[in-house]
Amino acid sequence: MTDETVLIRCRNCGARNRIPVARLQENPRCGRCKTPFPAISVTSRPVMVTDATFARDVLESPLPVLMDCWATWCSYCGALSPILDDLARTYAGRLKVAKLNVDQNPATANRYSVMSLPTLLFFRDGKLVETAAGALPKAEIERYLYPLLNH
Ligand SMILES: [Zn+2]
């Protein structure tokens, strides 16, 4: 187990709660208003997102989300894939790594004006906070992640 913590914003009162990752599975509640947090996925693998599940899996995620917009024919996306797997393992419980197939889910891709592949979208508290295009190295993606994970 890890002694890492994660900041989770309460949907009821807006308070930010710092919770040990090791306790995320114990149905934590907001320290101020005692509202239970929604179930928090601590999966160590990327989650496949569709137009139908995007709102729930990304916008309503208590954890920050890194979403990869990709397509089967995109060779750069293939190169990025093992890096995303690696990030999902490294930041399990602190970050959700999601993947959106843009050919099968055009509504979400259009909503965020995804023009080139791969495109990485960074979400926190239901808002798009950063966009990065191209098959970036792991260290560069982590530079985008730091502000999401630490504030
Ligand atoms: Zn609260």
Side-chain angles (χ1 to χ4, degrees), residues 62-127:
L63 298 180
V65 180
L66 161 57
M67 188 170 82
D68 172 35
C69 302
W70 69 287
T72 52
W73 46 263
C74 161
S75 58
Y76 291 112
C77 299
L80 185 62
S81 189
I83 294 173
L84 295 168
D85 291 346
D86 191 13
L87 288 166
R89 276 192 300 273
T90 303
Y91 295 100
R94 302 169 65 202
L95 172 76
K96 180 186 278 187
V97 177
K99 299 183 79 158
L100 180 86
N101 182 318
V102 297
D103 291 328
Q104 293 171 0
N105 303 286
T108 305
N110 287 338
R111 175 174 175 178
Y112 293 99
S113 306
V114 175
M115 299 300 220
S116 64
L117 298 179
T119 289
L120 297 174
L121 303 178
F122 300 82
F123 293 88
R124 191 176 63 195
D125 298 333
K127 294 192 184 67

Side-chain angles (χ1 to χ4, degrees), residues 10-15 17 30-35 37:
C10 174
R11 296 203 159 265
N12 183 51
C13 76
N17 290 249
C30 174
R32 187 199 288 176
C33 73
K34 308 300 179 198
T35 299
F37 294 118

